[in-house]
């Protein structure tokens, strides 16, 4: 038959011949390659369609919701469940914990025989408690709790006094003081009777030096009115004098005997005492601050102390430019605070064995010694006697 008479062209009835021959292996490889190309084309077409649909939807997804459109956040738990979570420790609880730690530190020093450190810790804690008791702006503690804190402060001072005066008849023992640990630790919930028959230190506000500048006129008015008598007011707590430090070879320790101070209105001063501190040129404390007991004898224009003060650092270890300050303080009954009347200081080149007389200056106490004003032109001074102890 001629090609024109065939019903179906040859090319449509026979599969295309694989290149390079008609071997069955080559035909199978050729068919596999054709199938792979077909699948690749379909996958490419599908990827293009997906990318086009995603790109068209992109502007809608990029639009940011305004805060008004945002739904409220869903809570993971109910309000009642959130309320039972433990709250952060309050400032009051932190303060009580700090007091308790200081109390433990002091009693540990006491039991180990480190008396100087124990006295220092007791005095620091007592002052912190008294400051809280005297605070009128704080509502953290109730009046009953403040009374308890005041009694604890009194016991701390009594123990401190017992350590300083080993011959004291009214000794307050360490075992008794340790009974107060649970009280100070749980002062916010303590509602039992205080274990000792003591009274808080009388409420007396201690003013910072800068707060006393406007009290000159009031002080003169009090002096003119006589300001009452010392016997009409409860006695001040014992002093906070510290014992002498242990000696070291080649080092010197200084004992200063405060004999008397001369004042024109000496007889009208109530509960007078001295605060002794050692400061550097910037007015920073180098030693623990010490208070003398209240002076008991007044004579004409003099108040007699006759008390020894042990400087709590070896003389050779005092930095250049340091000074020893003596602040004379007394109680003002009308204003119910303790005020600094005047001050004096002794510099390092004045440390010499024997008597010394130093000038008195007007308040406020200038620990940097830059603006000094004499208290009076009269021959009234602070009388001291120095003793150097050197271990050769």
């Amino acid at each position: 038959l001629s090609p024109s008479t065939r019903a179906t062209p040859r090319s449509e009835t026979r599969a295309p011949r694989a290149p390079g021959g008609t071997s069955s292996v080559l035909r199978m490889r050729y068919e596999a390659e054709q199938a792979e190309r077909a699948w690749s084309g379909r996958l490419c077409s599908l990827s293009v369609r997906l990318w086009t649909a995603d790109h068209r939807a992109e502007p809608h997804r990029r639009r940011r919701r305004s805060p008004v459109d945002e739904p409220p956040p869903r809570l993971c738990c109910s309000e009642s469940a959130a309320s039972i979570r433990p709250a952060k420790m309050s400032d009051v609880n932190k303060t009580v914990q700090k007091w308790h730690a200081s109390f433990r530190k002091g009693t540990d020093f006491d039991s180990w025989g480190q008396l100087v450190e124990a006295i220092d810790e007791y005095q620091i804690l007592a002052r912190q408690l008294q400051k809280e008791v005297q605070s009128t702006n704080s509502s953290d503690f109730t009046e009953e709790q403040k009374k308890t804190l005041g009694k604890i402060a009194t016991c701390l001072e009594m123990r401190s006094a017992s350590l300083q005066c080993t011959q004291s008849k009214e000794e307050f023992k360490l075992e008794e003081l340790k009974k107060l640990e649970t009280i100070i630790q749980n002062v916010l919930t303590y509602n039992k009777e205080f274990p000792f028959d003591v009274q808080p230190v009388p409420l007396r506000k201690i003013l910072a030096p800068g707060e006393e500048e406007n009290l000159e006129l009031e002080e003169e008015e009090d002096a003119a009115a006589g300001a009452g008598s010392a016997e009409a007011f409860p006695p001040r707590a014992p002093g906070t004098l510290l014992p002498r430090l242990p000696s070291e070879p080649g080092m010197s320790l200084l004992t200063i005997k405060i004999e008397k101070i001369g004042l024109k209105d000496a007889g009208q001063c109530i509960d007078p005492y001295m605060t002794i501190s050692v400061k550097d040129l910037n007015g920073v404390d180098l030693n623990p601050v010490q208070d003398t007991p209240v002076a008991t004898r007044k004579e004409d224009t003099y108040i007699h102390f006759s008390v020894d003060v042990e400087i709590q650092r070896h003389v050779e270890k005092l930095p250049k430019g340091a000074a020893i300050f003596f602040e004379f303080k007394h109680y003002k009954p009308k204003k119910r605070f303790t005020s600094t009347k005047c001050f004096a200081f002794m510099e390092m080149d004045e440390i010499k064995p024997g008597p010394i007389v130093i000038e008195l200056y007007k308040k406020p106490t200038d620990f940097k010694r830059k603006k000094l004003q004499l208290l009076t032109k009269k021959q009234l001074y602070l009388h001291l006697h120095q003793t150097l102890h050197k271990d050769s």
Side-chain angles (χ1 to χ4, degrees):
L1 295 175
S2 62
S4 60
T5 60
R6 289 176 183 162
T8 304
R10 189 174 184 177
S11 59
E12 295 181 9
T13 58
R14 185 178 296 180
R17 181 177 295 182
T22 57
S23 169
S24 60
V25 175
L26 294 176
R27 185 182 295 111
M28 291 174 64
R29 182 180 297 174
Y30 178 76
E31 290 174 355
E33 290 176 355
Q34 293 297 325
E36 185 178 354
R37 289 192 185 98
W39 275 107
S40 298
R42 291 175 185 175
L43 290 174
C44 182
S45 177
L46 179 62
S47 299
V48 169
R49 287 199 298 270
L50 289 176
W51 180 86
T52 304
D54 188 70
H55 185 69
R56 289 173 180 173
E58 188 71 20
H60 301 284
R61 287 207 304 269
R62 288 180 180 177
R63 185 177 68 86
R64 296 182 180 177
R65 292 180 178 179
S66 65
V68 178
D69 297 331
E70 287 288 343
R74 182 176 296 176
L75 297 176
C76 62
C77 58
S78 62
E79 291 184 3
S80 60
S83 62
I84 62 176
R85 291 178 179 175
K88 291 184 179 179
M89 185 179 294
S90 65
D91 292 339
V92 181
N93 289 326
K94 289 181 181 179
T95 301
V96 172
Q97 278 196 357
K98 182 179 178 182
W99 290 342
H100 178 230
S102 179
F103 184 91
R104 284 291 300 272
K105 188 176 180 181
T107 54
D108 286 345
F109 281 139
D110 201 345
S111 60
W112 298 334
Q114 296 179 246
L115 303 187
V116 175
E117 291 82 356
I119 292 170
D120 194 17
E121 200 66 37
Y122 290 153
Q123 291 172 359
I124 291 173
L125 179 56
R127 290 187 182 188
Q128 290 175 350
L129 297 180
Q130 289 169 358
K131 183 178 180 181
E132 183 61 44
V133 171
Q134 296 178 7
S135 175
T136 56
N137 299 325
S138 174
S139 58
D140 295 335
F141 299 93
T142 64
E143 290 302 317
E144 286 300 319
Q145 290 169 351
K146 287 186 176 182
K147 287 182 181 179
T148 302
L149 293 175
K151 291 180 180 181
I152 294 174
T154 301
C155 293
L156 289 168
E157 290 187 344
M158 291 172 64
R159 177 58 186 165
S160 179
S162 297
L163 293 177
Q164 294 176 62
C165 304
T166 55
Q167 300 179 353
S168 175
K169 295 180 181 180
E170 299 180 0
E171 181 181 1
F172 195 83
K173 297 181 179 180
L174 176 60
E175 292 74 16
E176 297 173 326
L177 185 65
K178 285 185 175 181
K179 294 178 181 179
L180 305 180
E181 181 175 353
T182 55
I183 299 177
I184 194 170
Q185 187 177 10
N186 304 294
V187 67
L188 296 174
T189 57
Y190 185 78
N191 55 5
K192 298 180 182 179
E193 186 177 354
F194 200 77
F196 304 109
D197 185 17
V198 295
Q199 295 300 321
V201 178
L203 182 61
R204 298 184 178 188
K205 185 179 180 183
I206 300 176
L207 296 183
E211 296 177 304
E212 298 172 353
E213 294 177 318
N214 299 324
L215 300 176
E216 297 285 352
L217 181 60
E218 296 173 3
E219 186 172 277
E220 291 176 2
E221 290 175 354
D222 288 348
S229 60
E231 289 76 12
F233 300 95
R236 185 177 168 274
T240 58
L241 296 179
L242 299 172
R244 188 183 306 166
L245 293 176
S247 59
E248 292 184 14
M251 295 289 181
S252 303
L253 290 168
L254 176 63
T255 301
I256 299 177
K257 187 181 186 65
I258 302 177
E259 295 181 340
K260 60 183 179 179
I261 185 173
L263 299 167
K264 62 180 181 180
D265 55 350
Q268 297 171 352
C269 294
I270 298 174
D271 286 358
Y273 69 99
M274 284 276 189
T275 296
I276 300 93
S277 58
V278 183
K279 311 277 187 180
D280 65 10
L281 278 172
N282 296 317
V284 177
D285 280 314
L286 299 172
N287 290 348
V289 178
Q290 304 182 62
D291 290 338
T292 70
V294 170
T296 56
R297 187 162 71 94
K298 302 173 186 177
E299 183 182 10
D300 297 331
T301 56
Y302 287 100
I303 297 175
H304 294 263
F305 287 92
S306 299
V307 62
D308 289 339
V309 180
E310 303 291 345
I311 301 303
Q312 298 296 301
R313 182 174 292 200
H314 293 87
V315 175
E316 290 80 4
K317 295 181 180 180
L318 290 172
K320 184 178 180 180
I324 304 171
F325 283 82
F326 305 85
E327 297 174 89
F328 179 82
K329 300 180 179 180
H330 66 124
Y331 180 56
K332 291 187 173 183
K334 288 186 178 181
K335 300 298 179 181
R336 296 182 67 83
F337 61 73
T338 297
S339 173
T340 301
K341 185 176 181 65
C342 59
F343 73 98
F345 63 88
M346 188 175 69
E347 297 181 323
M348 294 299 96
D349 58 355
E350 296 176 295
I351 296 180
K352 299 173 183 177
I356 183 175
V357 175
I358 55 179
E359 298 170 320
L360 301 174
Y361 297 95
K362 289 182 179 180
K363 63 181 181 183
T365 309
D366 182 11
F367 293 118
K368 295 184 179 180
R369 294 161 272 165
K370 292 183 178 180
K371 297 179 181 179
L372 300 172
Q373 283 186 293
L374 288 173
L375 178 66
T376 178
K377 295 181 180 179
K378 296 183 179 180
Q379 301 296 313
L380 298 173
Y381 306 102
L382 177 62
H383 296 254
L384 309 171
H385 189 281
Q386 302 181 75
T387 304
L388 284 171
H389 312 273
K390 190 164 186 177
D391 189 4
S392 55

